[in-house]
Amino acid sequence: MTGSPNLLTTIFAFLLVLGPLVLIHELGHYLVGRLFGVKAKAFSIGFGKEIAGWTDKRGTRWKLSALPLGGYVQFAGDMNPASAPSAADDGLTPEERAHTFHVKPLWQRALIVFAGPATNFLLCVAILAAFSYVNGRLVGDPEVSEFTENSPAQAAGMEIGDRIVAIDGNKIESVTDVPEYTAYFAGKTVSVAVERDGRTLVLPVTLANREVSDEFGNTARIGDLGVDFAAPVIGGFFGASSAEAAGLKAGDRIVAIDDTDVHSFDDIPGLVQPFPGKVVTITALRNGEARVFHVTIGSATVTGENGRSETIGQLGIRAGFGHVVPVGAVEAVELGVSRSFSIMGTMVTGIRQIFTGERSVKELGGPIKIAKYSGEQFSLGWDAFVGFAALISINLAFINLLPIPGLDGGHLAFYAAELVRRRPLDVRSQEWAIRMGVALVLTLMLFVTVNDLVSLPVFGG
């Protein structure tokens, strides 16, 4: 288990995640508002007392505030940072009122409000697209190589060698597609379509409820088929690899060593380790074509549990989850969009499951848990940290689109009502709705903060 980062690293990482994401969100509001001629009175990162700031030539006060748990743009005509409309007798001249937010056409107000969550969503798309473009797309054959203990898939009649082609009618092309339709549905019975000997069979599988943990000891419960997709695909080589010297390449799938079929990487050690120096015939698939290689098994010296050294055979190959397919710019953007929508779909599923009792409210997290995860991901390197920032960015987009007064989604709900009624809600009604919405948000923040504190190890979580 990896040690958790220290407090200073955690605080730094938290601010490094939240600050830029809030800035980008509020810039979305600000820039679209400016496009439509709305004057911004204040642009704040954080809430509460101003720590530092300046006023630009347009009269906008740019400031950093004491409580770094969000931010806001206060447009001209807003009574407060929650964008409640000011009173009609605001003392503005007709020219000044023309630059206020609430006199703009409905479609412009809606776009200004929607721009904040949209920028967070687009940031997530951009990060995921960049990862796909730089790293390629990982593809692994969804062929069952073995079963875990008490496997629900095996109990349902699945066999080694079956290839999963669909789950609940959703097409499965790679092992990376499987978690989307299983991980969030522990206990659910899903229809799994598999190909076996040229036939397609549909098997009802009740997903197991399995607890998993990461290197920091964070645990989660996931739905599990109980299958292993560790197909013997070569992911790379190490040392003076005899397999590489014989012509094998990354991405080749080993199907047999001598006359013994190989279904999983777990099959290989027993066929190799006892025979250093032996010449074996390895049959591998490359682009669907079977190829035969004659490989002299290499040797390595290892220390056993008894402290004695022994020589074992090795091929010098690393297990590969699959093979990486290069991705062009257009496909990278398509993958970024589809994965972002998929993440939002899992959020909807999670909230629904909490309301229906399928998931515990203890799984809800707030700023303390975000800070904890920020520090942990930061300690793993920039790739992990930026990927985590993408996840938080789309979380901000999703939460802000909830139809709660005081959030962007609440304002959009007001505008939907205005569109139907053909006139806006009266100012007093909006003001009271926003007050109740803010109270609800603050109550939820208090709840998740207590939830976070209880989950910390110091409290026995």
Side-chain angles (χ1 to χ4, degrees), residues 114-425:
F114 182 70
T119 52
N120 282 130
F121 179 83
L122 291 174
L123 177 64
C124 180
V125 170
I127 291 173
L128 297 181
F131 280 173
S132 294
Y133 184 74
V134 172
N135 301 321
R137 177 167 56 91
L138 184 65
V139 177
D141 192 13
E143 181 180 307
V144 178
S145 59
E146 59 182 315
F147 297 102
T148 61
E149 187 177 358
N150 300 320
S151 166
Q154 187 178 27
M158 202 174 296
E159 298 178 0
I160 290 176
D162 285 353
R163 187 180 190 280
I164 297 176
V165 294
I167 298 177
D168 279 344
N170 300 291
K171 189 176 182 181
I172 303 297
E173 296 180 334
S174 170
V175 292
T176 54
D177 299 330
V178 174
E180 181 176 353
Y181 307 109
T182 58
Y184 293 89
F185 305 101
K188 178 184 177 182
T189 298
V190 294
S191 296
V192 182
V194 299
E195 285 184 352
R196 181 189 302 165
D197 299 327
R199 297 178 299 141
T200 299
L201 306 174
V202 178
L203 305 172
V205 181
T206 301
L207 299 173
N209 190 334
R210 183 164 65 90
E211 184 176 276
V212 295
S213 60
D214 63 15
E215 54 264 66
F216 301 101
N218 301 308
T219 60
R221 291 199 170 273
I222 64 169
D224 184 33
L225 283 172
V227 301
D228 188 352
F229 298 106
V233 176
I234 298 175
F237 303 94
F238 64 89
S241 170
S242 57
E244 184 177 25
L248 285 154
K249 295 182 178 180
D252 287 351
R253 174 176 176 150
I254 298 174
V255 295
I257 296 179
D258 286 336
D259 296 324
T260 304
D261 291 340
V262 174
H263 299 287
S264 165
F265 252 99
D266 294 337
D267 297 335
I268 296 177
L271 302 172
V272 171
Q273 289 183 358
F275 309 109
K278 178 184 176 182
V279 178
V280 294
T281 300
I282 295 180
T283 305
L285 292 178
R286 180 181 299 170
N287 299 324
E289 178 186 346
R291 301 193 180 195
V292 176
F293 303 88
H294 300 288
V295 182
T296 301
I297 298 175
S299 61
T301 301
V302 297
T303 302
E305 294 181 359
N306 57 7
R308 298 176 62 181
S309 296
E310 61 178 323
T311 301
I312 63 170
Q314 67 175 24
L315 295 174
I317 60 176
R318 299 186 189 279
F321 187 63
H323 61 282
V324 175
V325 177
V327 170
V330 174
E331 186 183 359
V333 173
E334 291 174 349
L335 287 171
V337 171
S338 65
R339 288 172 180 171
S340 297
F341 275 117
S342 176
I343 293 170
M344 292 193 81
T346 62
M347 295 176 194
V348 173
T349 298
I351 290 178
R352 177 183 59 77
Q353 290 177 337
I354 287 174
F355 274 105
T356 59
E358 297 174 65
R359 284 185 177 272
S360 171
V361 292
K362 293 180 180 179
E363 295 190 32
L364 288 173
I368 294 176
K369 190 168 287 187
I370 293 173
K372 177 178 181 291
Y373 291 158
S374 297
E376 291 169 353
Q377 296 304 308
F378 185 75
S379 70
L380 295 177
W382 284 108
D383 279 1
F385 183 69
V386 173
F388 176 73
L391 183 62
I392 297 301
S393 185
I394 203 167
N395 267 272
L396 285 176
F398 176 78
I399 291 170
N400 272 281
L401 286 174
L402 294 176
I404 299 173
L407 299 180
D408 295 331
H411 292 296
L412 292 173
F414 288 158
Y415 302 151
E418 181 178 341
L419 183 64
V420 173
R421 299 172 75 244
R422 297 185 180 275
R423 66 181 188 278
L425 297 174

